[in-house]
Amino acid sequence: MGVWRWRRNPLRRPTDLFEAWVAFAALVCVLVVAPAIGWVAGVRVDGTLQQAAQEQRQERHLVPAVVVRPAPVSAAEVPADPSAQRTAPRRTQIVASWTAPDGSSHEGTVPAAEEPPRAGDRFRIWTDAHGRLVGQPLDPSAAAFHAGIAGLAAAIGVAALGETVRRLVVRRLVHRRYIRLDRAWAAAGPDWGRAGAGS
């Protein structure tokens, strides 16, 4: 639509050419700069997440645990609303014992691996080297997925910023054009239609 602004003609205003350059810059931003920044952001986030996943795999261990008994239910864990008990199922908490990779024995409250839990059942939990409970390490494929989402978000953000700047500049240009038109109208308007005014 803005190609006509590039052509030489006596009606083209300097602001028309400036607007065309702004549109071209926004197009380059959307088609070139935004994907490049998205790619760089995705690669950097992926590198960070993959390093974190590798460190977690080295620091966290899957160790066998044994169900000792069901954990006592505290009053704070029981919802006051009976309908909340039906709509929000929660895993049963149990007391389990396990041996850490450093050889120390531990006992603590963990979510049950199976329902209903029975004393003596064996299951596995993630711990650090000293036997403290930790979450499952980050999966490399999940890290790559999150990095892709981050890169896509960065690209969309840069493209949206470029388009927003273009719209603001065009809005300002149109505002200035209307001001100039109002001034020209005010200067020429009073003489229109009067005899002998030279119009």
Side-chain angles (χ1 to χ4, degrees):
M1 288 177 56
V3 176
W4 66 272
R5 299 179 191 278
W6 296 92
R7 296 190 325 206
R8 292 187 176 275
N9 64 69
L11 298 178
R12 187 183 72 182
R13 300 162 293 191
T15 56
D16 291 333
L17 187 58
F18 182 71
E19 184 179 341
W21 278 110
V22 169
F24 178 74
L27 183 65
V28 169
C29 180
V30 169
L31 296 181
V32 178
V33 177
I37 289 178
W39 183 79
V40 170
V43 167
R44 294 196 63 168
V45 170
D46 184 58
T48 302
L49 291 179
Q50 294 296 345
Q51 182 180 359
Q54 183 178 3
E55 291 172 358
Q56 288 179 4
R57 286 195 305 272
Q58 292 173 351
E59 296 169 356
R60 301 181 183 190
H61 307 276
L62 197 57
V63 298
V66 179
V67 176
V68 176
R69 64 182 177 276
V73 179
S74 64
E77 295 177 355
V78 178
D81 184 8
S83 64
Q85 294 178 353
R86 291 190 301 269
T87 59
R90 56 185 183 84
R91 293 181 66 181
T92 304
Q93 297 289 313
I94 58 170
V95 176
S97 63
W98 63 92
T99 301
D102 64 1
S104 59
S105 297
H106 297 269
E107 186 171 295
T109 302
V110 297
E114 296 180 0
E115 297 288 348
R118 294 183 300 276
D121 284 353
R122 295 186 173 274
F123 62 102
R124 298 199 295 174
I125 57 175
W126 288 98
T127 70
D128 63 9
H130 303 292
R132 291 186 294 263
L133 292 172
V134 293
Q136 182 176 351
L138 181 63
D139 185 56
S141 60
F145 175 77
H146 290 303
I149 295 296
L152 181 62
I156 291 174
V158 171
L161 178 63
E163 177 60 16
T164 301
V165 170
R166 184 195 72 82
R167 287 177 181 264
L168 290 174
V169 170
V170 169
R171 182 178 178 182
R172 181 68 180 160
L173 288 175
V174 170
H175 181 68
R176 289 178 61 189
R177 287 173 187 155
Y178 279 127
I179 290 174
R180 289 180 181 170
L181 180 62
D182 288 343
R183 288 177 185 162
W185 183 268
D191 290 341
W192 288 7
R194 286 171 44 196
S199 57

